Amino acid sequence: MSELSVNHLLGIKYLTKQDINLIFETADQFKEVINRPIKKVPSLRDITIANLFFENSTRTKLSFELAEKRLSADVINFSASQSSVKKGETLIDTVNNILSMKVDMVVMRHPNPGAGVFLSKHVNASIINAGDGAHEHPTQALLDSYSIREKLGTVKGKNVVIVGDILHSRVALSNIYALQLLGANVMVCGPKTLLPKYIKDLGVKVETNLKKALEWCDVANMLRVQNERMDISYFPSTREYTQQFGVNKELLDSLDKEIVIMHPGPINRGVEITSDVADSKQAIILNQVENGVAVRMAVIYLLASKIKQ
Amino acid sequence: MSQKVLLNSKEVNITLHRLACQLIENHDDFSETVLIGIQPRGKYLADRLAKILSEDYKIKNIQLGHLDITFFRDDFRRGDKPLEANTTIIDFIVEDKNVVFIDDVLYTGRSIRSALTAIQSFGRPKDIELLTLIDRRFSRHLPIQPNYKGRQVDAIDNQKVKVKWVENEGEDAVYLVDK
């Protein structure tokens, strides 16, 4: 069997297609494991993992922690709001202090883009980027692609539209890289103010009419409106955003086909999608959550296998 | 690299039928017994035995599964090669059942140790037996012995016992290969 070409998961940009396929094949086996009566395997019993969350997170942190525990790793958790970061400690000092406790792997979320790359050059541990600012969120993109593969059989050749706040979204960027690597056709759709100026350079189609985008696609990945990242007013009102870029049952029924609806969560119900869409058969939002644990187990397992004894 | 034939196709066939008969002696109609092939190579032997039991000896409703032990092995991060995960398919209950583990070669016993741990994730069997086509004697690291064995072999450490199956390598045969 091949192994991952990287020692850290810093972004999809650094992975090959073979890496992603290996992660998916391993996740298939972990998905079977997490549906057993006893959902735990002993593989990582000699590995210690630190979850360093310099930015708030609920589902990603829980998903990583569950994945680590199901692999029998020892887990320590850190959140910046309750730490010496508030007292002025630098990132490297914080991490080195934690690594002195014989930590083998670091899962890090950080508000600054590139924080994971920076850390990987300065510390001797395997780094997993759990989201760095508006840059990348590789495990989310992996689980999204994995969920499309599970639902439609393959990612190759599928039309996927990412709808919403592309400008502030690390999920969008990682998804674009992953989907393109796996052979999907990618479109972004949203208000012009939330589409980055050079987005076409990534080889994606751009659309500002949601109906047209939905008519084109097999899968619609609805992004959350990230009010906390909006330093100016990018659209007149939430109500207007919903009218133009929200998906409701009526809109879906008006299409001549059934499309798959995804959302990385947390959902603003009634904004990006209505409740009846979120809870419909077409939505695979809860499958994404389940697959997140299996995919993260696969990533951690494969990276851990490269840590020298 | 030299190799010696330990069992040819005819001998493999005779051995499989003998093993099937031994299983019937102890497990009768298999209503309380499940067969588990240990991945990756035990599945071929398990599939073959299940076929003989159902087609030649007319045992109905044989319950056959494949168990992958990759995540339960004790050599993660210790070997030269990465461990490759295989598929586990156990779509029946093992709780309170007689489980027969089936593997092609018993060598150090570590795979079976892993399988004993792995099967606990599916329930608590009534008892567990081990069937192996080849038993490499005097090479065990753990106190594990087969209940059913096709052939006992004495081999030194730099020799490898290679079991080939028609299904994946075009012939039924067992070779002793000098590495």
Side-chain angles (χ1 to χ4, degrees):
Chain A
M1 176 176 108
S2 52
E3 56 181 2
L4 289 182
S5 64
V6 291
N7 293 323
H8 311 278
L9 179 63
L10 302 173
I12 300 291
K13 191 167 58 177
Y14 304 95
L15 298 180
T16 64
K17 190 178 170 186
Q18 287 72 26
D19 287 332
I20 297 184
N21 286 329
L22 176 61
I23 291 168
F24 285 1
E25 281 160 24
T26 312
D28 285 341
Q29 308 315 323
F30 281 122
K31 187 141 190 206
E32 185 272 319
V33 167
I34 60 180
N35 283 300
R36 292 177 186 175
I38 295 176
K39 301 161 177 61
K40 207 171 163 102
V41 295
S43 302
L44 265 66
R45 64 202 144 193
D46 57 346
I47 294 275
T48 305
I49 303 176
N51 296 320
L52 310 185
F53 279 70
F54 293 88
E55 196 181 69
N56 289 338
S57 165
T58 307
R59 69 197 60 224
T60 305
K61 191 165 174 241
L62 282 179
S63 181
F64 266 111
E65 198 171 335
L66 197 56
E68 290 151 5
K69 287 181 172 170
R70 286 189 171 159
L71 289 164
S72 300
D74 289 321
V75 179
I76 54 172
N77 288 306
F78 164 98
S79 65
S81 56
Q82 299 151 10
S83 77
S84 295
V85 173
K86 294 274 180 211
K87 300 176 189 168
E89 191 175 58
T90 65
L91 175 59
I92 290 184
D93 281 343
T94 304
V95 175
N96 273 331
N97 272 294
I98 290 166
L99 292 180
S100 303
M101 301 172 199
K102 308 295 177 204
V103 166
D104 304 290
M105 193 179 280
V106 172
V107 175
M108 187 174 74
R109 169 164 289 189
H110 201 280
N112 295 338
V117 176
F118 172 76
L119 201 62
S120 69
K121 290 178 179 164
H122 290 89
V123 301
N124 185 26
S126 196
I127 312 289
I128 297 177
N129 178 6
D132 56 338
H135 180 223
E136 281 225 44
H137 191 355
T139 54
Q140 180 69 43
L142 288 169
L143 76 91
D144 287 345
S145 298
Y146 182 84
S147 301
I148 294 172
R149 168 185 175 266
E150 183 181 65
K151 180 75 179 174
L152 301 177
T154 179
V155 177
K156 193 176 179 183
K158 301 297 176 198
N159 295 338
V160 183
V161 62
I162 304 168
V163 182
D165 181 1
I166 311 296
L167 184 67
H168 297 103
S169 177
R170 53 193 170 212
V171 175
L173 186 61
S174 284
N175 259 279
I176 290 168
Y177 288 142
L179 291 165
Q180 287 183 336
L181 207 52
L182 295 171
N185 308 307
V186 186
M187 176 187 278
V188 294
C189 176
K192 273 188 181 165
T193 48
L194 289 172
L195 297 174
K197 204 173 174 184
Y198 301 107
I199 190 74
K200 275 190 179 167
D201 294 350
L202 294 176
V204 299
K205 296 175 194 296
V206 179
E207 180 58 70
T208 50
N209 182 317
L210 180 65
K211 181 96 194 285
K212 282 186 186 166
L214 295 180
E215 280 166 356
W216 172 82
C217 74
D218 302 302
V219 179
N221 195 353
M222 309 301 296
L223 300 180
R224 184 174 65 89
V225 175
Q226 301 186 64
N227 292 314
E228 73 278 14
R229 287 186 198 276
M230 300 207 184
D231 44 359
I232 58 167
S233 188
Y234 289 89
F235 44 80
S237 69
T238 304
R239 185 180 157 82
E240 189 170 319
Y241 178 89
T242 303
Q243 281 177 343
Q244 285 197 47
F245 297 100
V247 170
N248 56 42
K249 191 81 173 46
E250 195 186 347
L251 180 56
L252 284 185
D253 289 346
S254 72
L255 302 174
D256 200 18
K257 58 178 181 178
E258 195 164 280
I259 61 170
V260 178
I261 301 289
M262 302 174 72
H263 195 300
I267 306 171
N268 293 316
R269 280 181 184 257
V271 180
E272 301 98 37
I273 48 178
T274 52
S275 275
D276 51 1
V277 171
D279 302 330
S280 71
K281 272 198 307 187
Q282 282 174 263
I284 57 166
I285 297 163
L286 292 177
N287 303 64
Q288 288 174 265
V289 178
E290 183 189 346
N291 290 339
V293 178
V295 166
R296 288 182 174 113
M297 284 174 84
V299 167
I300 294 166
Y301 177 84
L302 291 167
L303 287 176
S305 71
K306 301 189 82 178
I307 296 173
K308 296 278 176 289
Q309 272 245 303
Chain B
M1 192 173 71
S2 68
Q3 64 178 28
K4 178 182 152 192
V5 179
L6 290 177
L7 293 175
N8 61 29
S9 172
K10 191 178 169 191
E11 289 164 334
V12 167
N13 192 37
I14 292 169
T15 307
L16 291 181
H17 277 82
R18 174 170 57 77
L19 288 169
C21 290
Q22 286 179 303
L23 283 174
I24 293 170
E25 279 176 29
N26 287 346
H27 296 279
D28 196 22
D29 64 355
F30 286 74
S31 57
E32 292 301 312
T33 300
V34 299
L35 305 180
I36 305 274
I38 308 298
Q39 288 271 34
R41 302 198 56 97
K43 73 169 182 179
Y44 298 108
L45 175 58
D47 291 355
R48 193 68 74 80
L49 279 169
K51 194 172 175 216
I52 291 171
L53 288 168
S54 57
E55 289 181 4
D56 296 358
Y57 296 98
K58 310 298 177 202
I59 308 280
K60 288 178 185 166
N61 306 320
I62 292 280
Q63 292 188 302
L64 169 68
H66 297 154
L67 177 64
D68 182 45
I69 56 165
T70 307
F71 303 131
F72 294 84
R73 285 172 57 147
D74 60 6
D75 57 350
F76 181 61
R77 303 202 296 128
R78 286 171 176 79
D80 299 330
K81 293 181 194 163
L83 298 177
E84 183 172 3
N86 294 286
T87 311
T88 292
I89 304 170
I90 298 180
D91 51 8
F92 44 76
I93 305 290
V94 300
E95 186 82 22
D96 262 342
K97 288 285 168 70
N98 305 309
V99 171
V100 182
F101 280 158
I102 298 173
D103 208 355
D104 60 349
V105 180
L106 176 61
Y107 182 32
T108 62
R110 287 179 187 269
S111 296
I112 302 304
R113 201 278 315 148
S114 304
L116 288 166
T117 314
I119 198 67
Q120 289 173 27
S121 298
F122 296 87
R124 182 178 181 271
K126 188 173 168 194
D127 63 44
I128 300 177
E129 293 182 332
L130 173 61
L131 180 152
T132 179
L133 184 65
I134 302 295
D135 172 20
R136 285 184 68 164
R137 289 190 300 180
F138 314 130
S139 53
R140 216 74 76 232
H141 294 177
L142 301 167
I144 286 169
Q145 299 300 337
N147 301 80
Y148 313 91
K149 51 183 175 268
R151 167 100 182 249
Q152 270 189 332
V153 172
D154 298 336
I156 54 175
D157 274 351
N158 63 357
Q159 291 177 316
K160 184 176 168 65
V161 175
K162 185 143 183 62
V163 180
K164 293 189 173 186
W165 298 103
V166 167
E167 291 86 339
N168 68 330
E169 281 154 311
E171 63 167 340
D172 287 340
V174 182
Y175 294 98
L176 184 63
V177 183
D178 287 327
K179 286 188 211 167

